Amino acid sequence: MQFEARVSLLGIFAFLLFKLFSSRARKANVPVVGSSAFFGYKTAFKMLTSYKQTLVEGHAKYGKSPFQVPGMRAWVVYVGRALFEDLRKSRDDTLSFQEEINDSVSIEWTMGKSVAYNTWHNVIVRKQMTQQLGIAFPLVYDELCHAFDDGFPGPGDEWTELHHVHDVIQQIVCRGANRLFVGLPLCRHPEYTRISRAFTGSVAKAGFLIAAFPKFLKPFVAKYFSGAPAAIAGFEPFIIPIIEERRRRAAEMGDEWQANKPFDLIQWLMDTAPEGEQQNPSELTLRIIGINFAAVHTSSMTFTHAFYWLAARPECVPALREDVAAAVTEHGWTKAGLNQMYKIDSFLKESMRHTGIATAIMGRKAVKNVTFSDGTQIPAGAHVAINLWSIHHDPEIYPNPDEFDPFRFSRKVEQGEGAVKHAFTTASSDFLLWGGGAHVCAGRNFASMLLKSMLAHIVTYYDVQFPNGAQRPPNLEFGSNVIPNPKATILVRRRQA
Ligand code: HEM
C-alpha cells in the first residue's frame, strides 16, 4: 500500500481510537460557544473552516470574558485582553507552553524528547543571535539580494507574471535565514533549501497524526507511520559533515581557529551545547532543524500577506520609497538604516494586525489548577489561548479595524507616541502575533530584520501590481491558521536604475 494511503487509513483509525481512548479535557467554569453534541466534534469540525467566526461569536456574546469551544484535540478556553497579563506572567509549571506544543504537534514524538523539553537552543536565538544582528545584516541582505535576483525578473525584463508567489517568497526567506543559520554555500543548495522548506509540512502532518493517538500508541505510530524520521535523516548529510570538519580544523588550528571561526548558528550551537550527548552532531542537527521549523514558514507566510497588500495598494508605494531612500542616504543598507525605516515597519505591522497568520495565539496547557485574576478557574489539563482576532479587530484599540491602514502605527510615532511602543517587534496585549511572556518569539528581531529588508528591497527595486487591477485574493483559513492565497499571481517589473 502507498505511504499516502497508509497515512489516510491510519488517520481514520486514529480518529476512532481517539474517541474511544481519550477523555476530552475537562471543561472550565466558563460559558460554551458552539455545541457539546457528539463529544463536541460537531463544533470542532465546523471550526476547521470557521474558527474566526466562532471567535467573533464568542466575543460578541460574552464581551471580554472567557468562553470555551470544543476543538478537534480538546476544549479550549479563549481569553481576551484583560487576561493577557495572567498568561504573560505564567510559567511552564502552571500554564505550560511546552506541554501545549507537545500536545498539538507532538514534538516529543517527531523530533525527540530532548528537543521538546531541553530547549537550550532557543536561548541562543533569543540572546546571542539577536545581539549580533548588526553584524549579521550585510550577510543576510547579500543573500536576500541574490535570492531576489534568482526569483524575480531582472533588469530590462518587461512586466513578468510571478506565479506561486508564496513559493517564491518562501525560497527567498529560507535562503536569507539560512545564510545566518548555516552560512554559504549550504544556504543556497537547492536540495538543502527544498528539504528545509518541506520539513515543516512533513513534521506538522506527522505531529497532527501522532497527536490523535492515545499515549501508549504514540511510539508505535511515530516509528512506523510518521514522515518525521525520513525528514530528519534528509538533513543530517548536510549538517553533520560541516560539524565534523569544523571540529577537525579547531583541533588542528587551536587559537587561530578561535579567532577566525565561522559566524553562524551552527558555530554558536557547537560552542554553547551543554557537555555530553547534546554535543552529538545528530543532536546539533536537530536544533538547526528546530530553528528552521520556527522561522521559515512563519516568516514567509507573514511576508506573503504583506506582499499581497503592497500589490493591492500601489498608492502606498511612494511614501515607502521615500522612507527607504531617507534611511539609506543616511546609513546605507545597514541595520541602522533598517531601524530608521518606520513606515516600512508600520506597513508590516499593520499587515500582521489585519492579516496575521493565526486567529488565536499563546496556547497554553494547565499543568495544575489555576485561578485567573478575574476569578476564572482553569482545571489542570485544560487548554487556554488568547482570542487574537477579536483583539486585533477591536475598534476601541484600532479605529476602523477592518480597514488596512498601512501607516496606522507610523502616524502614532509622528505624533510622538513613542517608536518602541508602536514598533513591529513590540509584543503587547494589543499586538499579539509574537505571543508574550517567557516564550515570546525568540526570533522576532531577526524576523523583523528579514521582512523589513525584503519589503524595503522590493519597493526600491521593483514595481508590483495584481494583473488587470485585481483585488487582494481571499485568504484560506484552516483551523486557527490564516494562509495567504496560494494561487495568486503578481506582476513584477524591475525598475530602471
Ligand atoms: C513573522 C514571523 C514569526 C512569527 C509570527 C512568530 C511567532 C511566534 C510565536 C507566536 C511564538 C510563541 C510565543 C508564545 O506562545 O508566547 C514563537 C516562539 C518562538 N519563535 Fe517565532 N515567530 C516568527 C519568526 C521566528 C524566527 C525567524 C525565529 C528564529 C530565528 C523564531 C524563533 C522562535 C523560537 C525559538 C520560539 C520559542 C521561544 C521559547 O519557547 O522560548 N521565530 N514565535
Side-chain angles (χ1 to χ4, degrees):
M1 198 186 305
Q2 292 280 316
F3 180 72
E4 300 291 339
R6 258 191 296 162
V7 168
S8 310
L9 263 180
L10 219 87
I12 297 167
F13 182 48
F15 180 66
L16 293 172
L17 274 175
F18 181 66
K19 269 179 138 181
L20 275 175
F21 287 99
S22 76
S23 54
R24 303 276 268 161
R26 289 157 60 191
K27 298 177 210 171
N29 62 341
V30 298
V32 170
V33 172
S35 136
S36 305
F38 305 106
F39 304 93
Y41 281 114
K42 194 173 161 212
T43 297
F45 269 110
K46 212 173 128 216
M47 288 277 280
L48 289 178
T49 50
S50 65
Y51 207 100
K52 188 171 80 191
Q53 286 90 317
T54 312
L55 293 180
V56 170
E57 186 190 329
H59 187 72
K61 266 194 190 154
Y62 300 109
K64 287 163 188 167
S65 306
F67 57 89
Q68 62 187 323
V69 186
M72 290 302 279
R73 193 166 44 90
W75 286 76
V76 180
V77 175
Y78 294 96
V79 304
R81 190 178 174 221
L83 293 178
F84 169 79
E85 276 301 296
D86 290 61
L87 251 65
R88 192 183 68 80
K89 288 183 187 152
S90 69
R91 293 294 177 262
D92 286 321
D93 60 357
T94 49
L95 292 171
S96 172
F97 169 82
Q98 287 182 338
E99 291 294 342
E100 178 65 19
I101 294 286
N102 244 332
D103 255 36
S104 56
V105 280
S106 316
I107 300 285
E108 179 179 346
W109 304 103
T110 52
M111 295 177 61
K113 206 166 186 156
S114 96
V115 175
Y117 291 108
N118 187 1
T119 51
W120 56 268
H121 57 289
N122 289 352
V123 181
I124 297 178
V125 175
R126 192 179 297 287
K127 300 230 168 93
Q128 200 163 349
M129 197 171 107
T130 303
Q131 284 159 4
Q132 310 267 21
L133 289 181
I135 305 171
F137 177 84
L139 307 173
V140 173
Y141 185 59
D142 173 68
E143 193 57 38
L144 291 174
C145 292
H146 281 92
F148 272 110
D149 288 350
D150 291 345
F152 273 39
D157 288 349
E158 287 305 308
W159 282 104
T160 306
E161 286 190 346
L162 213 64
H163 303 288
H164 305 293
V165 174
H166 181 61
D167 286 352
V168 178
I169 295 297
Q170 199 184 62
Q171 175 71 3
I172 295 170
V173 166
C174 185
R175 279 177 60 174
N178 273 281
R179 179 72 180 260
L180 190 57
F181 297 167
V182 301
L184 274 172
L186 190 52
C187 65
R188 280 183 204 170
H189 193 294
E191 180 58 9
Y192 174 78
T193 54
R194 189 193 66 73
I195 58 171
S196 161
R197 294 187 302 129
F199 181 81
T200 305
S202 350
V203 169
K205 265 188 239 153
F208 191 68
L209 180 73
I210 296 166
F213 280 84
K215 204 167 178 182
F216 75 92
L217 280 176
K218 287 182 197 290
F220 172 79
V221 182
K223 188 161 178 198
Y224 294 106
F225 294 96
S226 145
I232 291 167
F235 263 92
E236 290 191 337
F238 288 106
I239 308 287
I240 291 180
I242 296 179
I243 296 172
E244 286 170 347
E245 164 72 1
R246 288 187 187 183
R247 285 195 174 145
R248 196 182 54 72
R249 290 176 63 201
E252 277 169 19
M253 293 166 65
D255 288 348
E256 201 194 329
W257 171 262
Q258 289 306 324
N260 298 298
K261 62 190 173 186
F263 177 85
D264 59 26
L265 184 68
I266 299 188
Q267 193 61 44
W268 299 330
L269 290 169
M270 288 173 66
D271 291 346
T272 318
E275 287 300 318
E277 67 174 27
Q278 296 297 317
Q279 292 274 353
N280 185 321
S282 299
E283 266 295 331
L284 293 171
T285 305
L286 284 175
R287 311 286 157 166
I288 297 278
I289 298 176
I291 292 167
N292 265 283
F293 186 74
V296 174
H297 278 248
T298 47
S299 303
S300 54
M301 289 215 298
T302 299
F303 193 81
T304 306
H305 278 304
F307 191 37
Y308 287 171
W309 280 120
L310 187 72
R313 301 289 298 271
E315 72 278 9
C316 308
V317 172
L320 293 172
R321 281 185 181 145
E322 275 169 31
D323 192 43
V324 178
V328 170
T329 305
E330 201 174 333
H331 299 282
W333 283 95
T334 59
K335 178 72 170 48
L338 214 61
N339 293 347
Q340 196 180 300
M341 296 175 195
Y342 72 112
K343 287 189 178 161
I344 291 280
D345 202 272
S346 178
F347 189 98
L348 286 165
K349 185 167 182 175
E350 174 67 353
S351 170
M352 236 171 148
R353 177 199 71 81
H354 191 289
T355 340
I357 58 176
T359 49
I361 208 100
M362 288 182 79
R364 304 289 187 262
K365 182 175 179 182
V367 288
K368 54 171 82 144
N369 294 344
V370 175
T371 304
F372 281 148
S373 52
D374 68 346
T376 304
Q377 287 171 13
I378 303 293
H383 302 262
V384 184
I386 286 207
N387 178 353
L388 175 143
W389 175 267
S390 300
I391 296 172
H392 280 196
H393 292 81
D394 180 344
E396 284 175 21
I397 308 172
Y398 297 109
N400 301 320
D402 297 328
E403 187 191 324
F404 175 76
D405 177 1
F407 304 122
R408 188 186 286 278
F409 299 101
S410 52
R411 273 199 308 275
K412 300 270 185 194
V413 178
E414 283 160 2
Q415 288 157 8
E417 278 197 25
V420 173
K421 182 175 173 201
H422 295 290
F424 180 40
T425 47
T426 302
S428 73
S429 60
D430 296 348
F431 188 73
L432 294 155
L433 261 160
W434 304 117
H439 294 284
V440 65
C441 177
R444 65 193 189 285
N445 288 288
F446 180 54
S448 162
M449 187 174 103
L450 269 177
L451 304 190
K452 285 180 75 174
S453 308
M454 288 172 66
L455 184 58
H457 186 85
I458 290 179
V459 297
T460 305
Y461 295 109
Y462 301 93
D463 292 316
V464 300
Q465 61 183 40
F466 280 118
N468 309 317
Q471 298 294 303
R472 192 183 192 281
N475 303 316
L476 306 187
E477 287 175 33
F478 185 72
S480 65
N481 302 301
V482 184
I483 302 156
N485 196 300
K487 294 202 176 135
T489 296
I490 291 190
L491 289 175
V492 183
R493 180 176 62 181
R494 177 97 188 186
R495 297 176 74 208
Q496 301 302 323

